[in-house]
Amino acid sequence: VLIADLQQAVENQTGARPYRNRRSLSGYNYEVYHSLEEIQSWMLHLNKTHPDLVHLFSVGESYEGRPLFVLKLGRRTRPSKKAVWMDCGIHAREWIGPAFCQWFVREALQTYQTDPAMRKMLTQLYFYVMPVFNVDGYLFSWTHDRFWRKTRSKNTRFRCHGVDANRNWKVKWCEEGASLHPCDDTYCGPCPESEPEVRAVSRFLRRHRRQLRAYLSFHAYAQLLLYPYSYQHAAIPNFSCVASAASAAVQALHSAYGVHYRHGPAASTLYVSSGSSMDWAYKAGIPYAFAFELRDTGHFGFLLPEALISPTCTETMLAVKNITLHLLTQCP
């Protein structure tokens, strides 16, 4: 028995809890989980208060009609700057992902003036940060089912809702590691890019693929840093470069609290899966494509306590900075 009272653990994160100044944007707490409404209010607030470094835009709408917000971070130095894409929350229940995306933005804005590495990153690159990819599913995980994974699209033949947004991309769609049954957690959807969220993001990435140097997607849990391929056991053409970046990143992460991450191709390090965003991004021409599986390895699983948000995000920040500086200085 890992968690003695699972219901209590869920209610500790989602239920009525002490009002902790959560909605005050001036005192926004990055060490608690935030609802979709709070995250979107926070994004709008940053757009108003940091016009020099932040630009908020939407890439489209979700199935239920919610905006798919992205924050563009960086100094407007020249129009042809290279960029890094980061998304969190493709799977609704993996709350530590959106928490990290918010943490990254906070760190970027707070340390830009004092940290030479961050200044270099924001001067030489743009960062497109999407804190919640699967907005409908994330909201549902707060209001109905804490362990919900998929989108919330309706199926005409089955009562089951949703598609796995990380099996819906147009790369070896619905082959090994994905399901054709709408009630399964890994349901690939009726066709590639059937989900408006996947369609909107892939359209944006396609349009900007010449600008994008890296695609980073944040999931949980397993403590892994993965790179292509997910759908087959084969080495990518720039394997040595990507593998060295991953190795250096997990070493940087380990330096914070001694937490061990494994790294390697997704198919052999985790499992074979088809239709993933990481494989699609790599195939689209983005040379660095990574998927993080953040803490932990299964004790708390998707219910990672809020007390572990800070250490998880602190160490992940080191890995992301390491990857970013790597792609600026090495591997043409």
Side-chain angles (χ1 to χ4, degrees):
V1 176
L2 297 177
I3 300 173
D5 189 337
L6 186 65
Q7 182 64 33
Q8 187 60 53
V10 169
E11 287 173 7
N12 286 346
Q13 292 185 359
T14 60
R17 40 189 176 162
Y19 210 71
R20 292 172 299 192
N21 202 19
R22 289 159 59 83
R23 291 179 187 275
S24 164
L25 289 166
S26 58
Y28 196 78
N29 189 350
Y30 292 84
E31 296 185 30
V32 300
Y33 295 118
H34 288 280
S35 68
L36 180 66
E37 179 193 354
E38 289 165 0
I39 294 170
Q40 292 189 334
S41 296
W42 166 83
M43 294 172 83
L44 290 161
H45 176 74
L46 290 184
N47 191 52
K48 283 183 191 169
T49 55
H50 294 80
D52 54 329
L53 287 173
V54 175
H55 170 60
L56 176 70
F57 63 97
S58 170
V59 293
E61 282 192 352
S62 70
Y63 180 83
E64 294 178 343
R66 296 181 178 87
L68 301 172
F69 283 139
V70 175
L71 289 169
K72 181 182 182 182
L73 304 180
R75 283 283 311 279
R76 295 179 182 86
T77 48
R78 60 183 186 278
S80 59
K81 267 168 62 165
K82 295 297 183 184
V84 173
W85 170 275
M86 296 169 55
D87 62 52
C88 297
I90 280 185
H91 293 141
R93 62 196 178 191
E94 298 167 10
W95 287 9
I96 188 60
F100 173 71
C101 267
Q102 293 172 83
W103 188 280
F104 176 86
V105 172
R106 192 270 304 261
E107 285 292 299
L109 298 178
Q110 283 191 351
T111 67
Y112 168 72
Q113 298 287 358
T114 55
D115 178 7
M118 186 60 75
R119 177 175 284 276
K120 182 178 181 181
M121 286 161 59
L122 293 181
T123 302
Q124 297 191 23
L125 294 163
Y126 284 123
F127 287 83
Y128 295 106
V129 183
M130 190 177 199
V132 188
F133 184 111
N134 178 8
V135 289
D136 299 345
Y138 185 74
L139 178 66
F140 192 77
S141 74
W142 275 76
T143 56
H144 289 82
D145 178 355
R146 175 62 184 85
F147 297 103
W148 186 257
R149 170 182 169 99
K150 299 188 284 183
T151 62
R152 291 295 300 161
S153 54
K154 289 190 176 76
N155 189 288
T156 51
R157 289 180 53 235
F158 291 83
R159 287 188 178 179
C160 303
H161 284 253
V163 166
D164 185 341
N166 206 35
R167 300 291 185 278
N168 190 235
W169 297 72
K170 202 170 185 176
V171 54
K172 301 295 177 181
W173 176 78
C174 223
E175 295 187 12
E176 189 176 350
S179 171
L180 277 164
H181 198 289
C183 296
D184 288 346
D185 260 358
T186 56
Y187 175 46
C188 58
C191 61
E193 297 184 15
S194 63
E195 303 312 282
E197 300 86 352
V198 173
R199 200 159 55 245
V201 172
S202 63
R203 191 168 56 231
F204 178 85
L205 295 176
R206 253 188 234 110
R207 210 163 51 235
H208 294 82
R209 62 185 163 194
R210 290 195 177 144
Q211 179 193 21
L212 288 163
R213 286 283 288 156
Y215 171 89
L216 307 177
S217 191
F218 295 86
H219 297 254
Y221 56 92
Q223 294 176 195
L224 302 171
L225 177 52
L226 307 171
Y227 46 85
Y229 296 107
S230 296
Y231 68 84
Q232 65 175 350
H233 294 281
I236 53 177
N238 61 339
F239 172 82
S240 61
C241 196
V242 169
S244 68
S247 176
V250 298
Q251 285 177 41
L253 185 150
H254 182 268
S255 70
Y257 302 101
V259 171
H260 179 64
Y261 270 55
R262 290 187 296 124
H263 64 90
S268 54
T269 309
L270 185 57
Y271 46 63
V272 174
S273 63
S274 54
S276 76
S277 66
M278 179 182 70
D279 280 355
W280 184 93
Y282 186 76
K283 287 282 195 179
I286 301 172
Y288 286 84
F290 292 103
F292 281 81
E293 294 284 351
L294 301 179
R295 292 200 199 184
D296 57 7
T297 54
H299 183 98
F300 294 110
F302 302 120
L303 283 180
L304 194 72
E306 290 180 325
L308 294 178
I309 292 175
S310 175
T312 301
C313 291
T314 298
E315 67 194 10
T316 308
M317 193 75 198
L318 294 175
V320 170
K321 285 172 77 172
N322 197 281
I323 287 172
T324 305
L325 294 169
H326 191 277
L327 66 90
L328 278 173
T329 57
Q330 297 174 49
C331 298

